[in-house]
Amino acid sequence: MAMSSTPNILLSLFSIHFLLSLVKINEAKVPAIIVFGDSSVDAGNNNYIPTIARSNFEPYGRDFNGGHPTGRFSNGKIATDFISQAFGLKGAIPAYLDPSYSISDFATGVTFASAGTGYDNSTSNVLSVIPLWKELEYYKDYQTKLKANLGDGKANDIIKDALYMISVGTNDFLENYYAVPGRSSQYTIKEYENFLVGIAGNFTKALYDLGARKISLGGLPPMGCMPLERTGNLMGGSECVNSYNNLAAEFNSKLNDLVIKQNKELNGMDMVFSDPYGIMLDIIQKPAFYGMLYYSMSLFIIA
């Protein structure tokens, strides 16, 4: 997995985009932000498991409070931290496995995310990180502890009214399908896309069955513009790999279709598709418009 630091200015823009997609949800009170996914939203869970996929060393965290690495793949806060703050909640969402926090800290926000993971269980095996199904098991454990701490009534209100954010998928393609033997011999790329969309649908349905109603399902960024992909594109002048970008856009379209479908099928479901592709590509192609003299691809966000 290419684990790159993400500057706060980009995450601020990225967070604004997410918030615009959540306008409908924002009309109601959100008591907590509950997060699932990969390095784009991992606040340090990987610090507490045996994996090399960590960011608990400098220069990560240099702009975070205290200037120390936290396990976030960023120089400071990550997108979900900004979003939490924008909803009037805490300024940084803690990692569930961090022993310095308790269930009372998690009542207004928690992330179960693990850098290097994906929808596909085999993706998490590449770097021995937390698979998505295990993130869901941690969430069930969280529900049990929340009810014990606050009582069923208050805990159920938080569960029902919380905003659930999911940001995952890039690793399934770049660190699994195109990188290691296995899935590419089992599926064509379009079949693999559909396989992942099926897992995504099962995951959001499982959250719904556990009480979630407000869900943000995140799409893929223009992953062909990631540093590793550009570096390897020697024949293309180290430019973005268009085939990977096209794949991301196609996969995002399928995720959007899933959101539309489940909103129709599941009573009370209020899910939005949060698509980072367009704004990230625009920043890459027009950095000056966003107040940057240049855009360093070494600082590209990874999902």
Side-chain angles (χ1 to χ4, degrees):
M1 172 181 182
M3 290 164 284
S4 303
S5 172
T6 309
N8 284 347
I9 186 172
L10 298 187
L11 287 175
S12 296
L13 292 167
F14 188 56
S15 303
I16 289 169
H17 172 77
F18 264 107
L19 288 168
L20 288 174
S21 70
L22 299 174
V23 167
K24 181 180 178 183
I25 288 176
N26 198 21
E27 292 174 357
K29 175 65 176 174
V30 172
I33 308 288
I34 299 174
V35 185
F36 303 88
D38 53 30
S39 68
S40 58
V41 288
D42 183 358
N45 284 311
N46 278 16
N47 290 351
Y48 305 98
I49 62 172
T51 178
I52 61 169
R54 295 181 179 181
S55 59
N56 58 342
F57 52 89
E58 296 180 350
Y60 291 113
R62 64 189 179 189
D63 298 314
F64 200 82
N65 293 340
H68 301 295
T70 63
R72 290 168 173 80
F73 286 80
S74 172
N75 60 302
K77 294 182 178 182
I78 53 178
T80 41
D81 295 327
F82 289 111
I83 291 169
S84 175
Q85 189 171 357
F87 274 102
L89 302 172
K90 63 185 69 179
I93 297 178
Y96 189 62
L97 298 186
D98 189 335
S100 65
Y101 294 97
S102 67
I103 189 62
S104 59
D105 298 307
F106 298 141
T108 56
V110 60
T111 178
F112 304 97
S114 176
T117 202
Y119 285 113
D120 187 350
N121 287 339
S122 69
T123 302
S124 64
N125 294 336
V126 175
L127 289 172
S128 300
V129 297
I130 303 168
L132 199 58
W133 68 265
K134 183 64 174 178
E135 292 186 24
L136 190 65
E137 290 302 307
Y138 282 136
Y139 171 64
K140 293 176 183 177
D141 180 61
Y142 163 81
Q143 280 199 358
T144 300
K145 291 178 179 177
L146 192 68
K147 291 175 182 178
N149 183 254
L150 299 177
D152 285 359
K154 189 171 182 179
N156 286 332
D157 285 343
I158 291 174
I159 291 166
K160 175 176 63 71
D161 294 330
L163 170 60
Y164 295 78
M165 302 194 69
I166 305 165
S167 178
V168 67
T170 301
N171 296 314
D172 290 305
F173 295 104
L174 298 186
E175 308 304 330
N176 187 357
Y177 189 88
Y178 287 118
V180 297
R183 292 308 194 196
S184 59
S185 62
Q186 295 175 296
Y187 301 97
T188 66
I189 189 58
K190 291 189 182 298
E191 288 171 343
Y192 191 59
E193 288 180 63
N194 294 336
F195 171 68
L196 297 179
V197 170
I199 296 172
N202 291 338
F203 187 79
T204 51
K205 175 60 163 58
L207 284 178
Y208 174 86
D209 291 340
L210 288 167
R213 291 298 180 268
K214 303 169 185 174
I215 300 175
S216 166
L217 181 62
L220 303 186
M223 59 189 184
C225 295
M226 291 174 58
L228 183 61
E229 312 317 316
R230 291 189 63 172
T231 300
N233 188 24
L234 297 177
M235 296 298 292
S238 296
E239 293 297 322
C240 297
V241 181
N242 289 329
S243 59
Y244 287 169
N245 282 354
N246 293 339
L247 172 60
E250 181 176 84
F251 184 68
N252 286 350
S253 178
K254 293 181 179 182
L255 287 180
N256 187 51
D257 289 343
L258 170 66
V259 168
I260 294 170
K261 178 175 180 288
Q262 288 196 328
N263 277 334
K264 291 178 179 177
E265 294 176 348
L266 302 177
N267 183 45
M269 175 69 100
D270 190 6
M271 182 161 54
V272 297
F273 177 62
S274 298
D275 186 355
Y277 185 95
I279 188 170
M280 293 304 298
L281 189 61
D282 204 46
I283 292 169
I284 292 165
Q285 294 175 339
K286 298 184 294 184
F289 181 80
Y290 294 91
M292 304 176 199
L293 294 178
Y294 67 94
Y295 187 84
S296 171
M297 286 308 302
S298 66
L299 296 176
F300 186 71
I301 188 171
I302 134 161

